[in-house]
Amino acid sequence: MNTNSGYNPNKKYFNSEWLDKIDKRDQSLINRAFNALKNSYSPYSNFRVGACVETKTNEYFIGTNIENASLGLTNCAERNAIFSAYSHGYRKKDIRAIAIVSEDKKLTTPCGACRQVLSELLEPTCPIILTNGKELLVTDIIHLLPLSFSLDL
């Protein structure tokens, strides 16, 4: 067993090269996610989240959180966005990045279910942009869910 993988679960990871790459294209992706947030149906938590997937061919798919009184049937913004992209025929190789935004005081990261979904439907190093409008973190699913469940052998 290799214990020198370099991964530290107590450290927030990001690729510093991505910080220089937050350009107009990424800002557009973030803005679309914030626009999607406005459509949130969150009467139970009052916690709005927006997401936007961008493909390598500049197609955009938005999602927002949609709550349900049973709570277990609530669907998160990032899952709605990625499912929309897949519903339009795109696959992980086609996706350039995803932005996930909230209005919280701190950065909002995907829940465990969303991390598992993203681990299967995104390339491992696909940029995941997290922001609340004040802070920004660019990461990937490898760092958000390093030991994901997979049926890959």
Side-chain angles (χ1 to χ4, degrees):
M1 183 168 134
N2 180 2
T3 59
N4 296 323
S5 66
Y7 177 75
N8 177 345
N10 298 316
K11 181 178 177 186
K12 287 188 177 179
Y13 282 86
F14 66 94
N15 183 334
S16 60
E17 294 173 8
W18 286 334
L19 295 177
D20 295 330
K21 295 180 182 177
I22 299 296
D23 56 15
K24 289 181 182 177
R25 187 176 183 185
D26 294 320
Q27 193 58 55
S28 176
L29 179 63
I30 291 166
N31 290 344
R32 289 169 193 262
F34 272 112
N35 284 335
L37 174 144
K38 296 173 187 174
N39 297 322
S40 172
Y41 177 73
S42 48
Y44 308 105
S45 71
N46 294 311
F47 191 82
R48 302 187 315 169
V49 179
C52 186
V53 168
E54 181 184 3
T55 68
K56 293 175 181 173
T57 57
N58 301 314
E59 299 292 328
Y60 294 91
F61 298 93
I62 62 168
T64 190
N65 56 320
I66 307 295
E67 294 181 348
N68 186 275
S70 71
L71 297 182
L73 296 179
T74 294
N75 213 14
C76 299
E78 52 272 42
R79 277 187 282 158
N80 283 329
I82 195 86
F83 291 163
S84 180
Y86 268 69
S87 293
H88 283 87
Y90 293 93
R91 296 296 180 258
K92 65 171 72 177
K93 66 179 175 42
D94 304 311
I95 296 172
R96 186 190 77 81
I98 183 171
I100 304 166
V101 304
S102 75
E103 303 163 308
D104 199 28
K105 293 177 185 171
K106 60 182 184 166
L107 289 177
T108 299
T109 63
C111 71
C114 287
R115 290 177 193 218
Q116 184 59 46
V117 167
L118 294 176
S119 75
E120 185 167 333
L121 302 183
L122 291 178
E123 293 288 354
T125 59
C126 178
I128 299 172
I129 303 168
L130 307 172
T131 187
N132 59 3
K134 300 174 204 84
E135 297 177 77
L136 183 133
L137 175 68
V138 182
T139 188
D140 56 35
I141 200 61
I142 293 171
H143 293 100
L144 287 175
L145 190 64
L147 299 172
S148 66
F149 175 79
S150 173
L151 294 179
D152 295 337
L153 299 176

